[in-house]
Amino acid sequence: MARAPRLAHFAQGKEPHPNVNIQAQIEALEGLSAVDADLREISEELRRERDALTQKREHLDELDAKLARDRQSFEGMERMRNDLMLEVRQMSQQVERSREKLGRCRTEREANAAQREIEEIRKIYRDREIEIEKLVGLLEQARVEIDSTSAKRETLGAELGSTEGAVTGRLGELEEQVSAKEEERKSLVGAVQPVLYRRYELIRKRRGKAIAFTTSGDAVSAGMCSECHIILPPMMFQKLMRCEDFEQCPSCNRILYFRQPVAEAQADAASSSP
């Protein structure tokens, strides 16, 4: 397995500058990683809230558009039905006139012509009645659909009206949290060495989390990368334990540092206290 490169001041074979406080860099990176994790979580919630609000508004617009189309179609069918009903009434009158004409016929030829005229009008009359019956059924279906869409629109409109203010307020709160975290992030970035920060950003964009630690004392996790859980090469682990510089995990490529076990850190703190 290839040896992972050193990170802080490792470029061009340079050793860490003696003035660089490795512990301060670790604390800055841990703070930066925590802020980035918070930013991801807040940004994800912000995206979900915005998407949910946008979807409801878009759904409301779709229902309004559907209602407009259905009502326009309903009105068109009603006009067609009314025109057909008017035509049927006119044909009914025409049949009566044709019957009167048949009664006045003096020749068989005239009577046959009048009878054919009556049959033709009756056929058209029956066709129009069938068309009217179909339109009545379609109008009833359209009326049910309009009522259903109107009810959905009313329910969604009421829901949106009751929650939009709260959601908008929540979006404002989340945006403020993002702004505050971004300001906090700027101060932490300023505390990280530029070479180390550039490496951090490259890894963060690929991995989400850019740092990992290893520790000693715990029989299970000693000498292990905290993120990908591989056992580190012994030489790398020994170098990390000296807390002189960062390394890079040979498996997940995250920036590696040594974290003192909690018991040891508490003992050091107790011995250093007056």
Side-chain angles (χ1 to χ4, degrees):
M1 186 177 293
R3 179 181 179 275
R6 302 179 74 179
L7 295 176
H9 301 279
F10 76 95
Q12 300 178 355
K14 294 180 181 179
E15 289 299 313
H17 193 281
N19 292 329
V20 173
N21 186 327
I22 189 71
Q23 188 57 40
Q25 292 294 288
I26 290 173
E27 290 173 1
L29 278 180
E30 287 179 335
L32 186 58
S33 183
V35 167
D36 282 336
D38 289 343
L39 272 172
R40 283 195 303 272
E41 184 178 342
I42 295 168
S43 298
E44 179 61 24
E45 184 179 354
L46 188 59
R47 183 193 62 77
R48 288 196 305 268
E49 293 285 357
R50 281 175 175 163
D51 287 350
L53 186 59
T54 299
Q55 286 173 5
K56 285 182 179 180
R57 287 171 175 168
E58 289 176 349
H59 191 195
L60 194 64
D61 291 341
E62 289 171 1
L63 290 175
D64 285 337
K66 186 177 187 305
L67 273 175
R69 291 193 303 270
D70 289 349
R71 284 168 177 163
Q72 185 177 5
S73 176
F74 185 87
E75 291 170 359
M77 286 189 293
E78 270 198 324
R79 286 193 298 269
M80 186 181 297
R81 183 197 61 181
N82 293 338
D83 291 343
L84 288 172
M85 291 179 69
L86 177 60
E87 187 178 351
V88 165
R89 285 195 294 270
Q90 290 172 345
M91 283 189 290
S92 180
Q93 294 171 0
Q94 190 174 351
V95 167
E96 291 300 322
R97 288 194 295 269
S98 295
R99 282 175 178 170
E100 292 175 0
K101 181 179 178 181
L102 179 62
R104 295 193 299 271
C105 288
R106 296 183 178 181
T107 65
E108 184 178 355
R109 183 178 179 181
E110 290 177 347
N112 289 338
Q115 188 63 41
R116 284 196 300 272
E117 181 179 333
I118 291 172
E119 291 301 323
E120 288 174 1
I121 295 172
R122 282 176 174 171
K123 182 179 182 305
I124 296 172
Y125 185 95
R126 287 193 297 271
D127 290 343
R128 296 297 180 268
E129 281 187 325
I130 292 172
E131 291 179 28
I132 290 171
E133 185 177 350
K134 288 180 179 178
L135 277 172
V136 168
L138 291 173
L139 282 168
E140 183 58 32
Q141 291 177 11
R143 186 178 291 106
V144 171
E145 184 67 20
I146 288 171
D147 289 344
S148 174
T149 304
S150 296
K152 291 178 183 177
R153 198 266 176 221
E154 185 177 349
T155 300
L156 182 59
E159 180 185 343
L160 192 58
S162 64
T163 61
E164 189 169 12
V167 171
T168 302
R170 179 59 180 161
L171 289 176
E173 291 176 4
L174 292 171
E175 287 167 356
E176 289 178 1
Q177 290 179 28
V178 168
S179 297
K181 287 294 179 181
E182 286 176 345
E183 287 299 317
E184 184 180 354
R185 190 180 196 278
K186 287 178 184 178
S187 64
L188 289 166
V189 168
V192 179
Q193 290 292 304
V195 172
L196 184 59
Y197 176 68
R198 285 194 293 271
R199 191 65 183 174
Y200 173 91
E201 280 296 278
L202 285 172
I203 299 169
R204 182 180 69 86
K205 289 174 181 177
R206 291 198 305 265
R207 292 284 187 175
K209 185 174 183 180
I211 63 172
F213 66 87
T214 186
T215 187
S216 62
D218 188 334
V220 176
S221 59
M224 181 184 293
C225 172
S226 62
E227 292 299 317
C228 69
H229 309 298
I230 70 153
I231 301 296
L232 302 174
M235 187 176 295
M236 178 185 289
F237 181 56
Q238 291 299 321
K239 288 182 178 180
L240 285 166
M241 286 182 67
R242 291 199 291 269
C243 296
E244 295 174 351
D245 203 356
F246 296 95
E247 294 287 342
Q248 191 169 351
C249 177
S251 176
C252 68
N253 295 322
R254 290 181 172 91
I255 299 169
L256 267 175
Y257 63 93
F258 181 75
R259 178 180 289 181
Q260 190 176 17
V262 175
E264 292 182 15
Q266 291 174 344
D268 289 348
S271 62
S272 62
S273 63

